[in-house]
Amino acid sequence: PVGTSYAPAIGAAASGTTKSLTIDSGVTVTLNSSALLNVKGNLTINGTVTGSGTLTMNHTTAQRINGFGSVSNFDVNNPAGVTISTGAKLTIKSVLSVTSGTLATGDSLVLNSDSTASARVAQLPSGSTITGKVKVNQYITGGRRAYRFWAHPFIASLPLSDLTSYIDISGPGGSANGFTTTASNAPSSFRYTPYGGNSSIAYDPGWRPFANTNASPDSNEFKRYQGIRLYYRGSKGQGLGLGSYTVSPTVINQSGVLNQGNQDIPMQRGSSTLQDYNMIGNPYASPVDIGTVIFNAYEAGRINGSAFYIWNPFLGMAGQFMAVPYASAGHAVPYYLQANNAFQVRAMHDGDQLNFTEANKTSVISNAYSLMKANTGYVSLYLYDTAYHPYDLLQIQFNASATNKEDSRLDAAKPLVNACDFYTISEDGQKLAIDSRPYLNGGTIPLGLCTTTESEFIIRAENLALPTGALLYLHDKWKDRLTLLEPGTEYRCSVPNETTKNNDSRFELLMDTLDNNQATNAPWFVPTPNPAGDKVTITFNQPNVSEVGITLFNLTGTSIYTTVLAPQQSGTFTIPLTEIPPGTYIIELHLSNKKIARKLIKK
C-alpha cells in the first residue's frame, strides 16, 4: 500500500515470492542487481517496480495483470500464459522477456523510450510468444534538423498518419493528403525502390516520395521490413517557417503486432549494379546485430560490396551515409542497429534474402561507429568544415589481392547525398567509400570531392596503414600542390559548386617511397628534427636547377615565414623557430613546377 514508512526492496542476488500482489499508485518497489521477485498469483500494479532485478510472473496456472504501472525488467515464465487486462496499461522500462508460455497483451502493453533508455523485447525461446498489439515508443534526439532512417517492428503495414501526430511530415497537396501544409509542400518522407534506382547520381530516382499518409494506394503504405527516410524538423510544429530555433527531441509512438521468431527479408535487384541498393528496417523491437546477419548473407553469395550503409544525421549538412564493413579476416564484424532504425545493403541477385533470428537480438546499445570511426588497417581521410564539424570519411586499404577496379568482395561503393560527397574513383569509373587496391610506386588514386554550395573544407589524415617505407601525397592539381600525408596532416581547400566532372579532376593521391624518390632523383624534402625545438633544417632535392621557395604556414593557411633561395638542385636551409609558438604547422617547398608540403610540429 501507499503511505508506509519504508519502500520495499529486494537485495542484490536475493529473491522473494508472493501469491497475488498489489502495488498501489505512488509506491516504488526496488529490485537490486540480480534480484528476483516471483509472482505466483495475479498482479495489480499502479506503482513502479524499478532496479536491474526482474519481476517474474511464475506459476503453472493462468495469471492476469491489472492496473497502470511500470516495471523495469519483466519476465513471463508460465506455460499456462499471462494476460494483461484490456483497458489496463503495463509499461516496460528496460527489458521484456518471455521465458516460457504466452504473454497476451490485450493491446495494453507499452515499450517505453526516453532520453536514458529504450525498452526492448529479449530473445524469445522456441514456443514463447507475444499476442496482441504492443505500443512501441521511440525517443528521437534533438539538436539537429536532418534526415533520419526509420522503420517499425510489426507484421503489418502502417499508415504514415501514425507518425504525423508526433512530427510534421510534408508532401504534395499538403493537408488534403494528410500532410502538414508548408509554403512549398515539398516531400519530407521517402521510400526506396531498387527497380527504379540509379545509384550513380546524387538525385537517385529510386527515392520515391510518399503521396499521402493514409496508406492508400499500396505504394504509400509503410510496409513490414521497409526502411524509409524522414526529414526531422523537431517536435510537432517546429521548423515550418523561416528563422533559427532549437530542434527539440520528441517521442514517436507506433502500435502493432510484433515480428517474432525467424524473419527472412527479401531483397530486390534490377537489371544492373546501379539498381541493387535495398533499404531494410530492423525487424525486431530490440537492437539487433546486423553485421553478423549481413556477413552470413555475404558468405552465401547474396551481398554485393564489402560494407553496408547506415545513416548518421549528425554528419554534413543534413546527414551522411557511413560505410560499415561487416567482415574482417574472414569473420563477421558485429554492428548493433537500434530498434525502429534502418540500413542499406546491396543485393547480389534479385530475390536474395537476409535471414534474421531471435539470436541476433542484443542488449548492446552503442557502436564503434557512433560518429565516424575509422577501421584499423586503412588509410582514413576525414572531411571537415572549418569549424571541424564532420562531413564525411573516406577509407583506403592497400591489398595486393585487390585491383584498381571495383572489387565486389573488397570495395564499398559510395551512396551520394547531394550536399557533399568525398570518394575515390576506381579504374572502371565507380565512386567508392571504401577502396581496396594494390600499392604501386608512382601510381595515383583519383579522388572526388563535390558539394552543392561553395564551401571551404579540411581534409585530415588519421590512420595511415601503409606498406613499409611507403609515402602517400595528397595532390591538389588545381594549385599544383603536393602534401605529404602523415597522421594529423590537414589540407584546407575551397571547393566551388561545380559539376561532378570538374571536381573529380582536382584531387588525387600519389604513391611513392622516399627511397624511390632519392633513387630516381624525384622531388623530395625532409625537415629535421620533427618535432622541432628552436630551429628546423630543411634538406631537399629536385630534378632540375631552379629557384627554391620555402614557406611555413599555420593550420589556418596563414604564412608566418617565407624565403626564396637562389637557383639550385639540392641543399639545406635552417628556419629559426624561437619566435614561433608551439603547435602544428605546414612547411611547403616551392619548386619550378611543384609545391610539396609536410607537417611540422613545434615543441
Side-chain angles (χ1 to χ4, degrees), residues 188-206:
S188 66
S189 59
F190 300 84
R191 56 191 173 84
Y192 190 82
T193 172
Y195 298 140
N198 182 352
S199 59
S200 68
I201 57 178
Y203 293 93
D204 187 340

Side-chain angles (χ1 to χ4, degrees), residues 381-382 384-388 457-462 464 474 481-493 553-557 584-588 597-600:
L381 300 180
Y382 288 78
Y384 298 94
D385 65 14
T386 54
Y388 286 92
F457 292 106
I458 298 169
I459 299 173
R460 179 179 172 88
E462 292 290 350
L464 282 172
L474 176 66
R481 177 175 292 171
L482 289 171
T483 300
L484 178 67
L485 296 182
E486 299 170 290
T489 296
E490 296 182 357
Y491 183 77
R492 292 183 175 238
C493 54
F553 298 93
N554 62 21
L555 290 183
T556 66
T584 302
Y585 298 88
I586 300 295
I587 295 179
E588 188 172 79
R598 295 194 68 163
K599 183 177 72 171
L600 173 70

